[in-house]
């Protein structure tokens, strides 16, 4: 029996993967990879490596999570070194915890290789620091889709009042409800908000507005996008470093795997 590496590939920019994550790709016998990884990372694998696509989009899952868990165990029990390559960080809305639980239950050796999550990277590439001494001393990473079985009104009341900056994953389709609930539970309608689409890639697009008008302004923005809510969004006006970089040199557009 070999080992499984659950690796965070980062948010899209191929250079944002960790050194350890890159080594796990190069040494893998089998790589199970997700939809949002940069496909250039697969070029770093051994010529003999086997690839298994595990991509999930909001309306289409190529494999169920149960199937993915089973494949990880099957390949490892065959004595293969397995790298599970996931976008962002595997433990931040990446279901890496579920995969690790299954491996632990089967007594299969594994390692977690953290990655840069889009909740930090996408705002950074858009010129938005998620914390700032003058604007925000707290940040919360939440998902626009919750399966915790909690009362939604209580949940959003807590979210609206608990943190200065909100980084919201998987929230584009629910943007109207998110904006409405945040306002209803105490956030100023003029609170700045940004959507960063395909953050850190050549296709990055950032749309800003307020809770009151963002639904109209961002009506054409699709997944994958990170939503950032808070006063820190104001800093984008002076910190748009990535747009300046793109203007100075052509940056390749992101290619979707699968």
């Amino acid at each position: 029996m070999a080992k499984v590496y659950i690796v965070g590939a980062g948010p899209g920019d191929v250079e944002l993967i960790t050194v350890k994550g890159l080594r796990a790709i190069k040494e893998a016998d089998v790589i199970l990879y997700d939809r949002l990884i940069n496909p250039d990372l697969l070029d770093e694998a051994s010529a003999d490596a086997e690839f298994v696509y595990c991509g999930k989009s909001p309306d289409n899952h190529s494999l169920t999570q149960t199937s993915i868990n089973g494949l990880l165990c099957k390949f490892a029990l065959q004595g293969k070194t397995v790298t599970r390559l996931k976008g962002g960080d595997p433990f931040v809305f990446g279901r890496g915890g579920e995969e690790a639980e299954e491996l632990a239950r089967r007594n299969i050796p594994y390692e977690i290789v953290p990655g840069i999550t889009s909740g930090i990277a996408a705002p950074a590439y858009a010129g938005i620091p998620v914390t700032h001494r003058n604007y925000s001393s707290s940040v919360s990473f939440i998902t626009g889709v919750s399966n915790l079985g909690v009362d939604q009104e209580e949940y959003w009341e807590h979210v609206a009042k608990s943190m200065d900056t909100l980084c919201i994953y998987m929230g584009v389709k629910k943007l109207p409800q998110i904006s409405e609930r945040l306002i209803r539970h105490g956030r100023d309608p003029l609170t700045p908000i940004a959507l960063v689409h395909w953050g850190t890639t050549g296709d990055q697009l950032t749309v800003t507005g307020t809770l009151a008008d963002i639904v109209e302004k961002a009506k054409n923005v699709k997944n994958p996008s990170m939503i950032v809510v808070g006063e820190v969004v104001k800093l984008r006006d002076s910190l748009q470093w990535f747009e300046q970089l793109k203007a100075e040199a052509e940056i390749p557009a992101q290619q979707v795997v699968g």
Side-chain angles (χ1 to χ4, degrees):
M1 178 166 38
K3 179 180 282 188
V4 176
Y5 294 88
I6 301 177
V7 177
D13 184 337
V14 71
E15 294 184 319
L16 292 181
I17 193 169
T18 64
V19 173
K20 189 169 187 177
L22 188 59
R23 177 170 61 81
I25 293 173
K26 292 180 176 181
E27 296 179 356
D29 297 312
V30 184
I31 298 176
L32 287 80
Y33 64 98
D34 280 350
R35 180 174 71 97
L36 297 180
I37 67 147
N38 190 312
D40 290 346
L41 289 172
L42 300 179
D43 293 338
E44 300 294 331
S46 164
D48 298 325
E50 179 180 351
F51 299 102
V52 180
Y53 178 61
C54 304
K56 297 176 182 176
S57 60
D59 301 315
N60 181 33
H61 292 188
S62 61
L63 291 172
T64 66
Q65 190 60 52
T66 299
S67 297
I68 295 170
N69 294 350
L71 287 173
L72 292 174
C73 296
K74 183 187 80 170
F75 288 127
L77 291 170
Q78 290 174 352
K80 296 179 179 179
T81 298
V82 183
T83 291
R84 175 70 174 104
L85 196 58
K86 308 172 76 69
D89 180 274
F91 275 14
V92 181
F93 303 118
R95 304 190 75 169
E98 297 173 43
E99 294 167 358
E101 282 183 303
E102 182 64 17
L103 294 167
R105 188 182 70 81
R106 301 281 295 273
N107 293 315
I108 296 173
Y110 66 93
E111 289 189 28
I112 307 300
V113 182
I116 300 175
T117 183
S118 58
I120 295 173
Y125 271 56
I128 303 169
V130 294
T131 64
H132 188 284
R133 185 170 61 172
N134 297 328
Y135 296 98
S136 171
S137 62
S138 59
V139 57
S140 181
F141 300 100
I142 66 173
T143 173
V145 181
S146 176
N147 294 321
L148 296 178
V150 298
D151 181 85
Q152 288 297 305
E153 291 305 315
E154 290 182 5
Y155 174 77
W156 284 101
E157 181 178 13
H158 171 73
V159 165
K161 298 177 180 179
S162 61
M163 295 289 164
D164 297 323
T165 304
L166 300 176
C167 295
I168 306 174
Y169 297 68
M170 299 172 282
V172 173
K173 286 188 175 181
K174 291 186 174 293
L175 182 61
Q177 297 95 313
I178 290 171
S179 300
E180 187 273 331
R181 283 172 168 162
L182 288 175
I183 293 171
R184 180 152 45 88
H185 290 298
R187 286 271 179 157
D188 189 328
L190 298 181
T191 299
I193 179 173
L195 274 73
V196 187
H197 175 66
W198 276 120
T200 80
T201 76
D203 283 337
Q204 178 174 304
L205 170 69
T206 304
V207 177
T208 61
T210 67
L211 287 177
D213 64 17
I214 193 62
V215 173
E216 178 61 25
K217 286 187 172 183
K219 63 183 179 181
N220 295 321
V221 177
K222 302 183 184 303
N223 279 310
S225 296
M226 177 58 55
I227 301 172
V228 188
V229 180
E231 296 302 312
V232 290
V233 173
K234 293 178 179 177
L235 292 165
R236 171 172 162 75
D237 291 340
S238 58
L239 300 180
Q240 296 184 38
W241 68 272
F242 189 58
E243 279 78 3
Q244 294 175 7
L245 188 65
K246 287 173 64 177
E248 294 168 0
E250 290 187 6
I251 298 176
Q254 171 74 21
Q255 298 178 20
V256 179
V257 178

